[in-house]
């Protein structure tokens, strides 16, 4: 796994988006539809995290961590698929510049 600053991690050819791309809406030139879609993705992600947090009394730490990692990967894939190819290149350029 190669760490690429706080924006993302490249892991076995997968991108893990760690920060919210909505903060870079202008730089990425996100359309209004993309902005709304990413907000929806983030909302669902945080709802899942809240569900896991509420179950912490009955779940072990390892199982919770696996769920959180799974949710982050799912969120990353959904966001990545929301980007157009130019936005993906721009995201990776931003990541490389921060590294």
């Amino acid at each position: 796994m190669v760490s690429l600053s706080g924006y993302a991690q490249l892991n076995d050819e997968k991108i893990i988006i760690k920060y919210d791309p909505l903060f870079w809406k202008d730089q990425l030139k996100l359309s209004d539809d993309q902005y709304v879609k990413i907000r929806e993705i983030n909302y669902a992600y945080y709802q899942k995290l809240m569900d896991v947090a509420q179950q912490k009394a009955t779940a072990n730490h390892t199982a919770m961590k696996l769920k959180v990692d799974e949710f982050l990967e799912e969120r990353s894939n959904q966001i990545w698929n929301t980007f157009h190819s130019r936005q993906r290149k721009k995201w990776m350029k931003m990541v490389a510049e921060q590294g």
Side-chain angles (χ1 to χ4, degrees), residues 57-73:
T58 60
N60 69 43
H61 180 75
T62 303
M64 288 175 56
K65 171 111 174 64
L66 288 173
K67 276 290 187 195
V68 169
D69 290 345
E70 175 187 326
F71 297 154
L72 179 59
E73 184 176 335

Side-chain angles (χ1 to χ4, degrees), residues 7-21:
Y7 290 100
Q9 288 181 334
L10 191 59
N11 186 359
D12 298 330
E13 305 287 328
K14 292 187 286 191
I15 190 89
I16 301 296
I17 298 174
K18 295 168 62 177
Y19 288 140
D20 190 345

Side-chain angles (χ1 to χ4, degrees), residues 14-39:
K14 292 187 286 191
I15 190 89
I16 301 296
I17 298 174
K18 295 168 62 177
Y19 288 140
D20 190 345
L22 298 181
F23 290 112
W24 295 274
K25 179 184 188 248
D26 294 335
Q27 292 92 328
L28 292 168
K29 298 180 180 169
L30 296 175
S31 70
D32 291 340
D33 289 342
Q34 287 175 306
Y35 184 87
V36 169
K37 178 67 177 163
I38 292 170
R39 272 187 33 207

Side-chain angles (χ1 to χ4, degrees), residues 68-94:
V68 169
D69 290 345
E70 175 187 326
F71 297 154
L72 179 59
E73 184 176 335
E74 178 183 329
R75 173 186 172 266
S76 296
N77 289 334
Q78 290 173 335
I79 290 173
W80 192 250
N81 290 329
T82 301
F83 288 163
H84 299 299
S85 61
R86 287 182 132 177
Q87 292 164 324
R88 291 176 183 171
K89 289 177 187 174
K90 176 66 176 177
W91 184 262
M92 292 308 291
K93 182 179 177 186
M94 291 167 51

